[in-house]
Amino acid sequence: MADNANAAASTAAPMLPLFYKALQPLHSTVHADWRLKAGDVSFAAETPFLPIVASEIVSAARTYPVVFAGDTAQPIAVLGLEPTNLFVEDGRWASDCYIPAYVRRYPFTFGRTEEPDGFALSIDSGSDRVVQGGTEGTALFEDGKPSALTQQALEFCTAFGREAELTKLFTDALKEKDLLVDRRADATLSDGRKLGLNNFLIVDAEKFAGLDDETVVAWHKQGLLALVHHHLASLDRFRALVDRQALRLVADPSSSGASNEPAAAEAVAPAKSNKSRKVVS
């Protein structure tokens, strides 16, 4: 009975966003002496994919495969084919690669308030960058008002939320035209491991090419056509992911029992598978 009760409680507990452990809405009194230390992106080292917004698709597509989540059609950047982010090493993101806004906003985000459709700037108190008291780091509040750091975080999260709403309009348009189809990506490395990614969606290129003229013109004016083209072009980056994985195996063969010879990908190709906001108080 106790196990069942615990399971029920766990199921009922609200899900926190990726990376976040303990969100707290920022308040000038409660968090008067809280500070934020400098940090790295180690928190994203084991994350093989991240949500992105529509305005990031062009930048993300230059490095990562950009696909859509199978359950929500949320655009995501694929960072690896196993529970590893191939673009983070020693706490640093690869210098020549785009860093998604979802990472850059951490440990801040908007948290829902008790007010209907209300949101307030929140911080992950579970982050090791967040400290209470002392002089290390940057203050979140100064003289009872949001510091420059907190104000910048508010503006960043506001823009991110606005872009998330526009992204939904983009994915809704794709779904309305029934353009999203299931796909799977597979690869076999020279150490014998088979890597794969499933339960994701891509735009069906043939259906996309067959869109009626009225939709094509409308989507061109709205900037949606370019987003789809960048998404489709990004699918070639699956090969680059396997190459990056191969390089990591060579650098640390003990991590998987691989030999010292470079790993080789046999195949990696998409294959068909059977509201109001509050300034911190």
Side-chain angles (χ1 to χ4, degrees):
M1 292 293 291
D3 289 342
N4 291 338
N6 290 336
S10 175
T11 301
M15 294 268 307
L16 288 173
L18 179 66
F19 302 145
Y20 297 85
K21 303 172 184 175
L23 281 177
Q24 288 194 26
L26 286 176
H27 192 282
S28 58
T29 301
V30 177
H31 304 104
D33 63 344
W34 284 36
R35 308 177 73 87
L36 184 67
K37 300 187 298 182
D40 55 27
V41 294
S42 296
F43 61 87
E46 297 180 356
T47 302
F49 55 84
L50 281 170
I52 58 174
V53 292
S55 62
E56 296 184 279
I57 289 177
V58 175
S59 296
R62 297 189 182 105
T63 304
Y64 319 111
V66 173
V67 299
F68 301 88
D71 50 351
T72 63
Q74 165 71 46
I76 58 175
V78 183
L79 311 173
L81 297 175
E82 56 184 357
T84 299
N85 184 342
L86 295 173
F87 300 87
V88 172
E89 190 166 357
D90 297 328
R92 297 186 180 186
W93 204 282
S95 60
D96 58 341
C97 300
Y98 176 75
I99 304 176
Y102 192 95
V103 171
R104 288 181 279 124
R105 73 171 181 173
Y106 185 80
F108 296 98
T109 188
F110 272 122
R112 187 175 295 277
T113 67
E114 295 181 356
E115 300 176 8
D117 298 323
F119 294 87
L121 183 65
S122 301
I123 194 167
D124 183 11
S125 61
S127 169
D128 57 11
R129 294 178 57 196
V130 178
V131 294
Q132 185 174 358
T135 59
E136 186 178 7
T138 303
L140 298 181
F141 292 92
E142 296 174 338
D143 299 325
K145 297 180 180 180
S147 67
L149 170 68
T150 300
Q151 189 62 40
Q152 291 171 4
L154 176 63
E155 294 170 359
F156 190 95
C157 290
T158 298
F160 187 87
R162 185 165 53 245
E163 287 292 337
E165 294 171 358
L166 295 175
T167 300
K168 187 175 186 306
L169 295 178
F170 170 53
T171 56
D172 283 348
L174 296 178
K175 289 188 287 186
E176 181 183 355
K177 295 300 180 179
D178 194 29
L179 293 182
L180 296 175
V181 291
D182 293 331
R183 286 295 185 268
R184 175 180 176 85
D186 295 291
T188 301
L189 303 183
S190 63
D191 66 348
R193 281 191 303 155
K194 296 183 182 297
L195 306 180
L197 180 72
N198 54 25
N199 192 33
F200 69 86
L201 308 172
I202 68 169
V203 170
D204 186 307
E206 291 186 7
K207 288 185 178 180
F208 177 59
L211 284 176
D212 60 274
D213 292 346
E214 183 179 356
T215 298
V216 170
V217 171
W219 282 19
H220 171 69
K221 291 180 178 180
Q222 296 167 1
L224 303 188
L225 281 185
L227 295 182
V228 175
H229 283 300
H230 280 284
H231 149 66
L232 290 173
S234 80
L235 299 180
D236 288 340
R237 307 292 181 267
F238 274 109
R239 169 66 63 179
L241 276 185
V242 176
D243 292 342
R244 203 172 187 96
Q245 179 72 60
L247 290 175
R248 183 164 289 194
L249 287 176
V250 172
D252 184 18
S254 63
S255 63
S256 64
S259 68
N260 290 325
E261 298 180 357
E266 289 183 356
V268 58
K272 204 164 188 178
S273 65
N274 294 344
K275 314 151 177 152
S276 64
R277 293 188 172 88
K278 293 170 51 181
V279 176
V280 289
S281 54

